[in-house]
Amino acid sequence: MKPLVRSLLTSALILATGSAAAQTLRIGYADPVSSLDPQLNNYAGDRSVALHAFESLVSRRDNKTLPGLAKSWKVIDDTTWEFALRDDVKWQDGTPLTADDFVFSFERARNVPGSVASYAGSTRTVESVKAKDDHTLIIKTRTPNANLLPDVDSIYIVSRHAGADASSADYNSGKAMIGVGPYRFVSYVPGDRTIFERNDSYWGAKPTWDKVDYRFIANAANRTAALLAGDVDVIDKVSPTDVERLRNTPGVNVYAYQGLRALIIQPSFREGPNEFIRDNAGQPLPENPLRDVRVRKALSLAINRQAIDERIMQGTVTEANQWMPANTFGYNPDVKNIAYDPKQAKELLAQAGFPDGFQLTVHVPGDRYPQAPEAMQAVAQFWSRIGVKVQLEVLPWAVYAGKANKNELAVSVIAWGNGTGEAAYALTNILTTVDSSKGQGASNWGRYSNPLVDKALVDSTAEFDEARRRKILQDSVKVVSDDVGIIPLFHYQNIWAARKGLKVEPLVSDRTAATMVTELP
Amino acid sequence: MNAVQKVLTTRVCLQAQSPWRRVAVEFMNSPTAVVGLLVLLAIVLVAVLAPWIVVQNPYDLMQLNVLDARLAPGSANMDSGYTYWLGTDGQGRDLVSAILYGLRISLWVGIGSALIAALIGTLLGLVSAYAGGWVDALLMRLVDLLLSFPVILMALMILAWLGKGVGNVMLTLVLLEWAYYARTARGQALTESRREYVDAARGQGIGPWRIVVGHILPNCLPPLIVIGALQIARAITLEATLSFLGLGVPVTEPSLGLLIANGFQYMLSNEYWISLFPGLALLITIVAINLVGDRLRDVLNPRLQR
């Protein structure tokens, strides 16, 4: 009891002194941070924490590209871009920001020692980055890349003078933590918290908070409890099971926004027998039935997506019929919601030669995607009803990812983030034919392959006309949908909760940063 | 009749009966133990008969309906109208059915692993005591090694290596628990093997194997039975813990531990029944087993007898 009493007392104290320290913002966030080095790993947690101290060439809001450290840019020819940089930006130690820092940052981002999830993908088309003068930057690409802006947005800019000899450890210790962002680094305790203070020399609007206490709270129930106890002011990734409770709590505001992340089932297209697909007697089937479009279609039609939304996700997701959510670049409005039709699903299975179904083992990671094991248990129910007897295996991410990557599974599940906010990102990574030399299909776990989809990626990357590029992407959505190359389930909402008086507005996808939180008048 | 005489007569009377009958009589002298035993028997009975008394097979996905998920206790089923007396879990599983099936897993894993561990542990303990020398040293150092590790950590390591499943959980529990039996059996056997009746048996030219199994073992049994009873409770708790941590049974066939874990996330939203009722079932089972085990320890331990 002692610690509980103490924590209650502490929170009461914090509440009591709240007004005096009103300018401190305490955030409880969910994604683990591997390092403060903004270029080490492309992880959600790392990117969120970096958002406080670092910025990039452009900025993105509501899936649109806006000026950032570059005031403006122009395309000189298909492969040459010129960026006019702001000349009033200073590093937090007072040194002026120059084009040379950008040259250094792009060099470093390609190869940071110790990286396990590098930014190489974002620089894959970049051939060279050169400073024309102190405030003009020239980027040349190998091939025409209409998507360069979202790509370069991923690269945080670090300083040459503090970062030239710095390792990732120097960022963690604070030695190299000199950015141009709205908040200045104070201290970092790995696995616990990072403290920032306001950067008074920030070039943009004056940052809202004097001090930011950015705390890692891994467990969703613990985050909710911390908010209710007054230990933190804002929490992110609120568990769907807690949303109702928080909405009904006076003194708490819940902010839910349509997110970009989709939960997607990837059926395996591997030829020949698969140990996870068996006939009703338990013998592996000689041929993979998932290669038959009728079987894939049956599996998709058998799922009652509305029931999953309402009963499992408690209304915190929207049904998906394609990988992008509505009103995004490349979303195809002609592809309609997938009807729940178990009768037609059974007919399709019968036509494909499986009137009595078959046995299928489905794998899902248990520690990665919110509520994915629960959603997949419901999918298993629906599939069982059309005769596909499902065994569901929940694996730790570390084990799952290895197997999924090698296409060892029959059915895998991915929650694809669509981080750039446009359809080509998923095309590149989960839908095009796997080809590591082209940087294609890195997470295409089912090995879906259709030449039309591959062509759509090539065409859309080279197409600088927005309307035409949109059309190419939309057509590829139709192709994948007709093939049932993937079985989309739903799009997650991004949910934050804050104490009354605070407003949370999303910045980029599901990242969480102090810049997103403002005081309500 | 003075007190000493009284004790002596009682002793003589008790010794005239068969020793097991004496144990039974003394056991019944404790009302709490009798209650524990009755509760335990009732639990075993409903668990064994579960498939015939529940309204739904909670492990058959065909019989679940996600539209019935998270219904409060007393709600009616959508399709066939039966009542969910204890509510449903996040997948629409009837909690009464799920708890009874969960008890089956818990008891099966608990009793099964305790029995196998007892068999292996006792045998190795006896071998260790009787053989002595390097065999004894080797076995006992192995036991020391096992007992010095935190149980959960060992279980996590073994399960991470073996993979999930009821069989693997049982195997893990056996691997962890045989050491307790081995240590106890060895100690007891060492004491017994210095007794005259063992010398007498040896003098009659009876082979070592027969002496160990036929003469020493029966006299080592009482403490082993006590350990067995308490280890069953421990095994059930450990299985629940492992399932709670996501390393036990498959998610579509939840045991009590997994049911509790699944309900945990709903606790803050006032859907208390998903965790509470499986938790109570687990609690009652463990308490009943412990009551019985405690009493057995009292009646089987000669040093505690007055």
Side-chain angles (χ1 to χ4, degrees), chain A residues 306-326:
Chain A
Q306 200 191 340
I308 293 178
D309 176 13
E310 283 169 13
R311 303 308 303 170
I312 304 283
M313 306 306 290
Q314 313 208 11
T316 62
V317 297
T318 42
E319 273 182 62
N321 50 40
Q322 54 192 291
W323 66 89
M324 294 300 290

Side-chain angles (χ1 to χ4, degrees), chain A residues 311 374 381 384-385 394, chain B residues 62 64 66 69-70 91 164:
Chain A
R311 303 308 303 170
E374 287 80 2
Q381 279 187 27
S384 295
R385 298 222 182 106
V394 183
Chain B
M62 293 279 281
L64 304 185
V66 71
R70 295 179 286 107
Q91 294 291 328
K164 283 192 206 179

Side-chain angles (χ1 to χ4, degrees), chain A residues 114-301:
Chain A
S115 171
V116 288
S118 80
Y119 286 94
S122 305
T123 54
R124 70 187 189 284
T125 59
V126 175
E127 186 173 275
S128 68
V129 179
K130 290 203 172 72
K132 191 171 162 193
D133 57 53
D134 265 5
H135 298 290
T136 313
L137 193 72
I138 308 280
I139 296 185
K140 276 189 177 297
T141 60
R142 282 193 192 90
T143 49
N145 181 4
N147 226 16
L148 184 71
L149 294 177
D151 279 352
V152 298
D153 168 59
S154 297
I155 309 295
Y156 284 113
I157 304 306
V158 293
S159 73
R160 190 189 281 277
H161 69 276
D165 305 314
S167 64
S168 293
D170 292 327
Y171 285 88
N172 292 338
S173 73
K175 202 176 132 202
M177 272 299 284
I178 294 155
V180 291
Y183 293 96
R184 180 197 295 272
F185 170 85
V186 177
S187 67
Y188 170 57
V189 182
D192 180 34
R193 67 182 67 185
T194 314
I195 309 275
F196 293 98
E197 64 186 10
R198 188 202 332 262
N199 172 15
D200 286 314
S201 59
Y202 184 57
W203 61 271
K206 186 185 165 198
T208 315
W209 305 101
D210 288 336
K211 204 177 149 197
V212 178
D213 183 350
Y214 197 66
R215 292 185 204 170
F216 176 53
I217 307 177
N219 182 293
N222 291 354
R223 281 195 301 282
T224 303
L227 179 70
L228 290 173
D231 282 346
V232 293
D233 302 310
V234 176
I235 57 171
D236 70 354
K237 307 214 164 42
V238 177
S239 165
T241 57
D242 294 342
V243 169
E244 196 57 34
R245 157 77 198 255
L246 288 172
R247 284 211 168 107
N248 294 329
T249 306
V252 170
N253 283 333
V254 175
Y255 295 96
Y257 299 93
Q258 175 59 58
L260 293 168
R261 191 174 293 278
L263 194 69
I264 289 169
I265 298 172
Q266 294 181 317
S268 173
F269 286 77
R270 199 173 81 201
E271 284 178 62
N274 184 318
E275 61 166 314
F276 297 119
I277 311 174
R278 293 164 183 263
D279 63 19
N280 286 324
Q283 294 304 310
L285 286 165
E287 267 312 311
N288 178 358
L290 300 176
R291 290 180 58 82
D292 186 329
V293 64
R294 290 169 297 188
V295 174
R296 297 195 299 275
K297 189 144 192 245
L299 292 178
S300 187
L301 287 172

Side-chain angles (χ1 to χ4, degrees), chain A residues 21-70:
Chain A
Q23 296 311 311
T24 296
L25 180 70
R26 299 158 304 165
I27 299 177
Y29 68 95
D31 293 316
V33 170
S34 67
S35 168
L36 289 195
D37 182 343
Q39 296 189 326
L40 181 65
N41 289 320
N42 189 355
Y43 286 158
D46 292 35
R47 293 192 65 86
S48 282
V49 77
L51 267 176
H52 294 88
F54 296 97
E55 301 202 326
S56 42
L57 196 50
V58 294
S59 70
R60 284 179 67 79
R61 188 142 205 168
D62 300 333
N63 307 322
K64 286 183 187 62
T65 305
L66 305 170
L69 296 175

Side-chain angles (χ1 to χ4, degrees), chain B residues 18-57:
Chain B
S18 93
W20 295 113
R21 196 177 159 78
R22 177 188 66 80
V23 167
V25 169
E26 280 199 22
F27 185 91
M28 294 301 176
N29 279 342
S30 158
T32 41
V34 173
V35 171
L37 186 64
L38 289 178
V39 170
L40 188 61
L41 287 176
I43 287 173
V44 171
L45 195 69
V46 290
V48 170
L49 296 179
W52 293 276
I53 51 180
V54 297
V55 291
Q56 174 195 77
N57 175 355

